[in-house]
Amino acid sequence: MSSKTELQRMIVSLLKTLPKERLTHYASFKQTQLERFQDAKVIEGISEDDLKLQYVALRELVNDKYKNYYKLDDKLLRPKGNPEYYERLLKEIKGDGKETLLTAMRTVVFGK
Amino acid sequence: MLRLNKANIAHSARYLSSTPRVCFQYRNSILDKYKQETEQIDAPSQLAKESSLPIIEQDLKIKPRQARMKMPLLSDHKVESPGYELSGFAKTFGELFVKIFRIDMDITRSGSVAGSLYFAECKKQGLFYPNEPMSETAKFYYETLNLPKSFSQQVQITLLHYWILSVRMRALPFKYAREYQQKLVDRIFKDLELRMSNELGINSNRIIEGNLKDYHTQLLGSVLSYDEALVSDDITFASALWRNVFNGNPNVDIRHVEALLAYVRSQLYVLNKMTDREFGFGRFKFIPPNEVVKPISKSQEEQMRQKVKEEFEKMTLPSQKSVLSVDE
């Protein structure tokens, strides 16, 4: 039981380190999972091995295992057809540089 | 006794030059600590199966409507039937037409490749019919990941695969990227409309229109989240998959989300290594979730490129002309 409590503590502390979502969605992964893994009843119904696997999976996601394993290069991340696409998108989401009416019109008319 | 002698002879007749290089490297075990550890990754379906977390069914609040009949994967038209070939006369006339009017074949090709081949690839991933055995990929979604068997779930799986392809399409020259994306998305929505009316048996056009608008909004939302996730990190990607594919299920198995993420990242990796020309000619097929994608070395990539170049150099017909790159 103590090992399960330890795993629960590790999962919760890992979930707490997750960044706040930039956009407000209908549900937040961080909040929902925090509530789930802080609930003693939920933990009771999960075996120690399964809980460990949940922790391992979460840790691998946090450590960007797949982003580093399947590395993409600039071919996809700065696409030829629209090199600024992801930069503009992230700027807009982060609120660093808002689109003006002119740039928005340009996107609608020319597609980029 | 005789056998022993033979073995001795064979052993004594070993030449100096036959000493394998591996042995030399092995002797320098002091350098082992500088060796990069090669990480092993299992196939997505294997990853997901490792978990035995008790399943808590998500309450969808409605009973999903199931298909009452089956439509063909693509259409009834003979052009889209497998193994169809133009007659000799039609081929010659077509080639002449393309040559005389200097038709841009990359734009023309986008219709058959994105609107037919890639559309079928996206559609069949999550496709299932009640009372019919499921395909291996459908089993991954509905049995291994335990997703609800509903039409909307099929749409979400199709939209995920559309997004994977659209990331690669964006890397084509702008003029062609637009054509490929447009044709794929048009066909997906046309098919949804037909399936809702024929397969699900929805008679009201108003309801179909409403559903299509909902799916369109979902498409915009999921493309935005996946795009954000692609340039962010794995946990943002996992959150986007959890919201869109796992329907925000609070009792989700995180190992399942990880498996789907591994699947999506592996598809993107394959697309990243594919040249524009190959992709534009419809050579891409989604790797099934029960197979592993292993990263390739620079030299392997070079070899692949060389083979592709040689293959496309042989294609000299007017209809096979293309400006898409064979180098990247």
Side-chain angles (χ1 to χ4, degrees), chain A residues 36 54 60 67 80 85-86, chain B residues 227 232 252-253 258 276:
Chain A
R36 177 191 180 193
Q54 297 298 300
E60 284 178 350
K67 188 182 179 185
K80 248 189 317 224
Y85 179 80
Y86 294 106
Chain B
D227 279 342
S232 302
V252 73
D253 187 334
E258 187 198 354
D276 284 0

Side-chain angles (χ1 to χ4, degrees), chain B residues 117-118 121 124 267 270 274 282-288:
Chain B
L117 269 177
Y118 286 153
E121 276 291 307
K124 70 182 177 195
Q267 307 295 335
V270 175
M274 202 166 223
R283 297 283 172 88
F284 177 73
K285 275 189 170 25
F286 288 106
I287 313 294

Side-chain angles (χ1 to χ4, degrees), chain B residues 58-304:
Chain B
Q58 192 183 9
D59 182 15
L60 294 173
K61 298 193 176 91
I62 51 155
K63 196 174 171 236
R65 194 193 279 249
Q66 297 298 336
R68 293 174 192 173
M69 62 165 283
K70 188 180 175 182
M71 279 175 60
L73 180 69
L74 285 166
S75 68
D76 284 331
H77 200 282
K78 63 174 182 182
V79 175
E80 287 196 312
S81 59
Y84 173 78
E85 250 192 65
L86 283 173
S87 67
F89 171 73
K91 268 186 192 169
T92 319
F93 179 77
E95 297 293 351
L96 207 62
F97 189 87
V98 170
K99 197 173 179 182
I100 292 170
F101 293 98
R102 293 181 183 177
I103 306 286
D104 187 344
M105 279 311 292
D106 287 315
I107 288 190
T108 312
R109 200 176 292 114
S110 68
S112 53
V113 171
S116 185
L117 269 177
Y118 286 153
F119 157 72
E121 276 291 307
C122 291
K123 184 181 170 182
K124 70 182 177 195
Q125 301 303 318
L127 191 68
F128 75 93
Y129 288 98
N131 311 322
E132 260 192 41
M134 278 191 203
S135 66
E136 281 304 314
T137 48
K139 275 184 190 166
F140 171 67
Y141 293 107
Y142 304 111
E143 288 178 3
T144 314
L145 302 187
N146 203 43
L147 295 174
K149 288 178 195 154
S150 69
F151 184 74
S152 293
Q153 189 65 58
Q154 289 186 47
V155 176
Q156 280 304 335
I157 295 167
T158 308
L159 295 185
L160 173 67
H161 288 87
Y162 158 74
W163 173 79
I164 295 173
L165 290 179
S166 78
V167 170
R168 183 64 186 85
M169 286 171 182
R170 223 172 266 143
L172 296 175
F174 184 71
K175 184 175 152 190
Y176 304 116
R178 230 178 161 181
E179 288 293 328
Y180 274 80
Q181 284 181 332
Q182 192 65 56
K183 278 164 184 161
L184 179 56
V185 83
D186 281 354
R187 184 74 194 267
I188 288 174
F189 276 86
K190 187 74 201 158
D191 180 70
L192 289 182
E193 191 181 350
L194 288 173
R195 282 174 69 199
M196 275 192 276
S197 152
N198 297 336
E199 288 186 353
L200 300 185
I202 303 175
N203 294 322
S204 162
N205 272 340
R206 190 180 60 82
I207 296 175
I208 293 179
E209 284 291 318
N211 287 350
L212 283 176
K213 277 181 189 162
D214 278 354
Y215 290 139
H216 182 246
T217 316
Q218 286 175 28
L219 169 76
L220 299 180
S222 50
V223 166
L224 173 68
S225 344
Y226 295 145
D227 279 342
E228 181 204 358
L230 179 71
V231 279
S232 302
D233 44 30
D234 274 355
I235 197 74
T236 314
F237 216 138
S239 308
L241 291 171
W242 172 75
R243 277 194 311 275
N244 294 296
V245 182
F246 290 88
N247 310 304
N249 183 3
N251 297 308
V252 73
D253 187 334
I254 300 176
R255 189 67 162 183
H256 288 178
V257 184
E258 187 198 354
L260 188 62
L261 174 74
Y263 170 77
V264 175
R265 286 260 186 216
S266 64
Q267 307 295 335
L268 289 169
Y269 181 80
V270 175
L271 283 166
N272 188 46
K273 296 292 170 197
M274 202 166 223
T275 60
D276 284 0
R277 185 77 68 94
E278 282 175 287
F279 181 74
F281 273 65
R283 297 283 172 88
F284 177 73
K285 275 189 170 25
F286 288 106
I287 313 294
N290 55 359
E291 287 178 24
V292 193
V293 174
K294 284 188 178 166
I296 54 167
S297 65
K298 275 271 169 217
S299 60
Q300 285 171 319
E301 197 178 338
E302 279 305 315
Q303 279 178 0
M304 271 169 51

